Amino acid sequence: MGATVTITLPNGDKKDAPKGISVLEFVKQSIGAGLAKAAVFARVNGAEADLSRTLDDDAALQIFTAKNPEALEVTRHDAAHIVADAVQRLFPGTQVTIGPVIEEGFYYDFYREKDGKPAPFTPAELEQIEKKANEIIAADLPFTRSEVSADDAVKLFEKKGEKFKVEIVHDIVAKGAKTLTLYAHGDWVDFCLGPHGPSTAKVGVIKLLSSSGAYWRADHTKEQLQRIYGISFFDKKALEAWLKQREEASKRDHRRLGRELDLFHFHPFSPGAAFWTEKGTAIYQALSNWMRSLALNNGYVEIKTPLLYNKGLWEISGHWGKYKENMFLVEDSDTKEHDFSLKPMNCPSHHLFYGFKKHSYRDLPLRYHTQDVLHRNEAAGALGGLTRVRQFAQDDAHIYCREDQIPSEVAKFVGLLDRVYAAVGLTYRAKLSTRPPQRIGTDDLWDRAEAALKTALESLKLEYDLKPGDGAFYGPKIDFDVSDSIGRKWQLGTVQLDYNAPERFDLTYVGEDNKEHRPVVLHRAIYGSFERFIAILIEHFAGAFPAWLAPVQVTVICVADRQLEYAQKIRQQLVDKGYRVEVDDRGLSMQKKIAEAQVGKVPFTLVIGDREVENNQVAPRRYGGEDLKAMPFEQFLELFEKEAKLPPSH
RNA sequence: GCCGACGUAGCUCAGAUGGCAGAGCAACUGAUUCGUAAUCAGUAGGUCUCCGGUUCAAUUCCGGACGUCGGCUCCA
């Protein structure tokens, strides 16, 4: 009799099985053939494992099938292997690098050259690869796992001529790994942590999405690689649903809605700088006014500083050395030298401003708010819509405070940011970035700075991701990310601690002890930039803004022209209160005008006929079609103002 | 900046192997004055992004520039 092991299932059941049985065999014998067939991978004592893993000790076992989202990640990793296999079958000599699962799908980076030059995959080749990959799925090749020594792994990949894999193996060995795991399906082998599904057939269906350039190790001085993006689903139906959803999401794209709703334009003569229409400007101004009120009501002062500066400033700030490539330089017409630059950030000008006066500890914290225009010379290939532009304005502020004031300042800021995002319904993800290897300041200082940020996040019960080593060289920071309609993440808000700038600019305050001390600076923004924030809001609301943000808040439509005079009176009363109202007096049918108001996503349409004129009423209709029925104008006003006023700023 | 795709009317898109350029919507004109999602008729609109080259002939083929899009990198 062989030894037995006791396996505990998620529901608490315990089952005995012969020691050394595979997970799959155990499931088949002790749970059921159906689950065995559906299984993709397992967790043994919480650790991910292949179904072929043997059970050598008592363990807790959990089986994952297509019903678990985790299983899709595993099969997408399978899919990456399959695509790499397909590429190497079709294009011998192509080298493989890495192929991770990403949020939506996976990618695989290849190195391929022709005549010494990088050879990108053409759309036709992608089709071939996709076809071949799905053939590999149909072939139902089992994935097999094996362990080899580091030496054998190096030999294996050297023999195959896979120099990138060899490099990765060396890296892993340098980190202390003794053995490596290999995964093979058919003749194709890659080394990989796993787990993988039982066979290629489990992957379902692979769809390749795009190809693009990427650099080995994300370093543009290294080899140019060819990246193929793809996604897989357990069945065609799920793939089709995903494609459809993607099409829906693209209808919310701010670039598309910006055109359809006539919010902004771009012109080749000023790439990366928006032309805002009167409608786009209305949104911009509403956000600007709201942020101004929020700032002024929360202890900030608003200041304005120049846009153009002599390079002397950038030499002090360090931008001339580290950021010059991103700055627009301006030639002085006398000296013919590029002695001036448009400001890419507000901080240096605020530091100069701080220095205009001698400050007492009683002045602190001192909070300067600014909405000035900034210019950054972004790489041409990086521009896109409103999310990445060359000219923009931040809802910027710099807080000058004593070190002991940092925790409360950070907490106040994060609280304010949370209120702003909540008011527009945005959900965000906070990221705390801590000390990088290259940094200034003592460890003690960093300990305190990081603790201050952490405390603020925890006091607000905010979940956050920790990004060790991602902070700026002068201090740690918290970034706030929001996703756009196609799932790309954008940084909006940020708060950064800065111990460096006060040194560089020799900023001081006089303390209680009558001696000079260094303040600390907090850089912070909530919207991030108006441009990017508006882009995110357009997508978030799919263009149907709440009344307070909508470019046109009310459209007044008459049943016949004889009611126009009354309609104008209604409009005037609303305009006098500061609202954005239009009367559609074009010679179109009423139905057509209503249709256009809906297409324009105007929050309220007021229909005026003889009955309304007679009774001093309006007949409001909401965007989307809800008919509120005729009511006295005063009653509408009350209802409307609740939604059309800026959100609270206290 | 790098890799790839793309650039036809204000917008969305057709089009031909290299031989007079097409639709819908929008615009304009006229008629229509209508009770909650699109009234009818007509008119106008184009150096087919730009600059070179090949050709009897280029919007179409080739090269370059600019821009847009998807990535890389960076960041708000």
Side-chain angles (χ1 to χ4, degrees), chain A residues 13 47 55 175 182 267 273 357 382 403 450 465 489 496 515 567:
Chain A
D13 282 2
L55 297 165
K175 282 183 192 158
L182 298 179
H267 193 280
K357 283 186 201 160
E403 209 195 314
E450 289 168 7
D465 298 327
K489 285 202 170 59
Q496 289 177 236
K515 291 192 180 125

Side-chain angles (χ1 to χ4, degrees), chain A residues 297-370:
Chain A
N297 289 330
N298 284 279
Y300 293 75
V301 293
E302 184 174 15
I303 63 171
K304 284 190 175 294
T305 58
L307 304 188
L308 192 63
Y309 291 88
N310 186 283
K311 73 174 181 192
L313 174 65
W314 310 118
E315 283 166 353
I316 294 174
S317 69
H319 286 80
W320 205 252
K322 289 207 168 132
Y323 204 74
K324 198 172 171 186
E325 307 241 302
N326 279 296
M327 298 202 291
F328 284 103
L329 306 182
V330 178
E331 188 182 270
D332 183 305
S333 52
D334 289 334
T335 64
K336 300 291 179 212
E337 283 187 37
H338 290 117
D339 272 342
F340 285 82
S341 162
L342 289 166
K343 66 179 172 187
M345 300 176 190
N346 289 305
C347 12
S349 32
H350 283 184
H351 302 333
L352 292 182
F353 191 93
Y354 180 93
F356 283 135
K357 283 186 201 160
K358 200 167 178 90
H359 293 284
S360 150
Y361 71 95
R362 296 172 194 275
D363 298 340
L364 307 184
L366 200 51
R367 309 181 189 90
Y368 297 150
H369 174 61
T370 283

Side-chain angles (χ1 to χ4, degrees), chain A residues 30 97-98 109 118 186 201 284 308 310 359 457 465 470 489 528 581:
Chain A
S30 304
T97 67
I98 58 164
D109 283 347
Y284 202 119
L308 192 63
N310 186 283
H359 293 284
L457 288 169
D465 298 327
D470 244 17
K489 285 202 170 59
V581 183

Side-chain angles (χ1 to χ4, degrees), chain A residues 3 69 126 172 185 225 271 277 317 503 518 527 530 544 561 583 605:
Chain A
L126 278 187
I172 292 176
H185 65 268
L225 305 178
T277 66
S317 69
E503 294 286 338
R518 286 267 179 254
Y527 297 158
F530 284 87
D561 285 353
V583 174
T605 302

Side-chain angles (χ1 to χ4, degrees), chain A residues 75 183 265 269 392 505 533 536:
Chain A
T75 57
Y183 278 87
H265 302 278
F269 283 163
F392 60 101
F505 283 84
F533 195 68
I536 294 289

Side-chain angles (χ1 to χ4, degrees), chain A residues 617-635:
Chain A
Q617 287 187 328
V618 294
R621 170 200 168 100
R622 277 184 187 276
Y623 170 69
E626 188 194 352
D627 187 351
L628 300 179
K629 308 290 184 209
M631 62 176 75
F633 174 68
E634 294 303 323
Q635 191 185 330

